[in-house]
Amino acid sequence: MRTWHEIRGFPLAIRLLLVNQLGVNTGFYLLIPYLATHLGDNLGMSAAVVGIVLGVRNLSQQGLFLIGGSAADRLGARGVIIAGCAIRTVGFALFALGDGLPVLLAASVLSGVAGALFNPAVRTYLAQEAGERRAEAFALFNVFATTGALVGPLLGSALLLVDFRASALTAAGIFALLTVAQALVLPARDVPPATGSVTSDWREAVGNRAFLAFALAMVGMFTLENQLYLLLPAGARQATGWDGAAGLVFLVGTVAGIAFQLRITRALKRRGTRGRWIAAGLVLMGLAFVPPMLVAGTDTPPHGALDATLRTLPVLLGALLLHLGVMTAQPFVMELIPAFGRQALTGTYFGIFYAVSGIAAAAGNAAVGWAMDVAGRGGGAAALLPWACCLAAGLASAAGVTWLHRNGTLPRTRPAPVAVAA
């Protein structure tokens, strides 16, 4: 109840952005996780072609985050958010309407470009509107995002009983509704005139050594957060022999987020510094991969429901610890990013940060995937390798943030000025 009371305490624009993020993640996760299966099984495409289609989508998004951030600064976050949702509507509709490779590649490019536009723009708008309550706003943002990541696959699984096109059209419909809602409700804001070129903005942000050091120190957070979709679900399936066990990983996070996210953020905000809690969250994220080591490498099927439950518990404990680590660190990370530079470059800083994080997540997933392959071939002690790699990544990132905190590199948070209605 306290969470919903807190939501009502924010202005309408922030409440709409929270619902927007729920819809964005619901629409994304009801479609994208099943796209590879559709391309390979339904359309008969080779693994190489499937990889190209998925890679084009990811490259289009990760490679253009900086463009989306600069557009939010210069054109206004509201318009960029609306444009991004509209473009993703078209992209997801093309997945439903086209079977040929050119159409599918166009759909991948459009859906990726859309994410590159609205991801930094939404966070820019949220940071500007929330003012002194920025940390709480991003905490609630995390709750809605996590809920969407749970609802999306469940809805997608149900729609696949009809066919893939039903999933794609539903996802496109969700983004169409979000586009209309934002165009009608999201307030327009005056955009201060730019004082220099886009490239000069980029040079200013990239030349901010403190910011770049922080972005690089945070690569562990995004690498580990992505294991909610790779290593932990695989561990749950391997431990229990049940494919549905992967869904429990998301369920744990959603319930924990709704119950604890805002309480954690509000309690920590009153005690200690941002850098301290970000480092603590990273340590917790790293330690989350210790309990699943207890059942790593289990090859024999469980003997009955009790054995399956006992094998599942360490993995679910790890998922809970990982979510708690994210809940501890992420709102303060989002709060700090705009504080590194000028208010007029908030979108640019978010764009660069997410470009770095996207590259880190891709490289981290590749490394963890390699470790999983080694573990699958080697067995025994080799089964611990992917979990140990994640533990090391979390502790290394925590050490980096601690060093930046102790030498005074991290900025003091300051409230963003509230923009004036146009």
Side-chain angles (χ1 to χ4, degrees):
M1 293 298 294
R2 180 175 295 181
T3 298
W4 303 119
H5 177 74
E6 188 75 21
I7 292 171
R8 290 195 298 270
F10 279 104
L12 178 60
I14 290 182
R15 283 181 276 162
L16 178 60
L17 292 178
L18 297 178
V19 175
N20 175 78
Q21 191 60 26
L22 173 66
V24 164
N25 275 16
T26 299
F28 181 86
Y29 286 107
L30 76 84
L31 175 68
I32 295 301
Y34 307 105
L35 180 58
T37 301
H38 168 67
L39 297 176
D41 295 349
N42 298 341
L43 302 184
M45 294 183 172
S46 67
V49 174
V50 172
I52 290 173
V53 173
L54 297 179
V56 164
R57 191 211 67 80
N58 190 62
L59 181 63
S60 300
Q61 180 163 319
Q62 307 297 346
L64 296 177
F65 270 135
L66 185 54
I67 302 296
S70 292
D73 288 336
R74 290 173 171 264
L75 304 177
R78 176 183 180 273
V80 177
I81 294 169
I82 296 171
C85 284
I87 292 172
R88 182 157 281 183
T89 301
V90 176
F92 279 4
L94 285 178
F95 279 126
L97 302 176
D99 294 339
L101 183 58
V103 175
L104 293 171
L105 288 175
S108 292
V109 170
L110 289 175
S111 62
V113 168
L117 290 175
F118 64 65
N119 273 331
V122 165
R123 287 156 178 81
T124 299
Y125 201 114
L126 199 67
Q128 292 172 345
E129 289 289 319
E132 294 181 352
R133 302 174 67 195
R134 189 185 291 165
E136 289 90 339
F138 279 112
L140 289 170
F141 190 81
N142 192 30
V143 172
F144 278 76
T146 304
T147 304
L150 172 68
V151 173
L154 295 177
L155 181 57
S157 298
L159 289 170
L160 283 177
L161 297 176
V162 181
D163 60 16
F164 178 82
R165 296 179 193 278
S167 295
L169 290 175
T170 301
I174 290 173
F175 278 95
L177 289 175
L178 293 176
T179 303
V180 173
Q182 289 160 156
L184 294 176
V185 179
L186 202 62
R189 301 301 185 196
D190 281 334
V191 182
T195 57
S197 65
V198 173
T199 54
S200 67
D201 291 346
W202 294 351
R203 284 195 299 269
E204 179 180 338
V206 174
N208 188 329
R209 295 183 179 180
F211 169 68
L212 283 186
F214 179 69
L216 292 173
M218 293 308 304
V219 299
M221 185 179 80
F222 291 95
T223 298
L224 299 189
E225 193 174 3
N226 269 264
Q227 302 320 306
L228 290 168
Y229 312 103
L230 179 63
L231 182 57
L232 282 169
R237 288 190 293 265
Q238 183 182 28
T240 63
W242 175 46
D243 288 341
L248 298 177
V249 171
F250 301 104
L251 180 61
V252 165
T254 302
V255 173
I258 293 173
F260 302 119
Q261 173 67 88
L262 191 59
R263 296 179 182 179
I264 289 173
T265 301
R266 296 182 70 177
L268 299 183
K269 184 178 179 180
R270 296 191 294 264
R271 303 176 179 88
T273 59
R274 304 298 188 261
R276 173 187 174 185
W277 296 125
I278 292 172
L282 289 167
V283 169
L284 194 57
M285 291 177 70
L287 294 177
F289 294 88
V290 174
M293 288 185 185
L294 299 174
V295 292
T298 303
D299 296 323
T300 59
H303 304 292
L306 178 60
D307 188 27
T309 301
L310 292 176
R311 293 185 184 189
T312 307
L313 290 178
V315 180
L316 295 184
L317 176 59
L320 177 60
L321 292 175
L322 182 57
H323 280 289
L324 289 174
V326 172
M327 285 189 273
T328 299
Q330 194 173 73
F332 298 127
V333 172
M334 297 295 104
E335 184 187 26
L336 272 185
I337 291 171
F340 278 99
R342 294 186 287 121
Q343 172 70 17
L345 295 186
T346 297
T348 300
Y349 276 88
F350 272 116
I352 293 175
F353 186 82
Y354 273 92
V356 171
S357 69
I359 295 171
N365 272 352
V368 173
W370 169 82
M372 292 171 68
D373 289 338
V374 172
R377 292 192 301 267
L384 305 179
L385 181 60
W387 309 97
C389 288
C390 291
L391 170 62
L395 297 181
S397 277
V401 172
T402 299
W403 180 77
L404 293 174
H405 170 59
R406 289 182 175 176
N407 67 18
T409 301
L410 300 182
R412 293 180 177 272
T413 56
R414 61 177 185 272
V418 178
V420 180

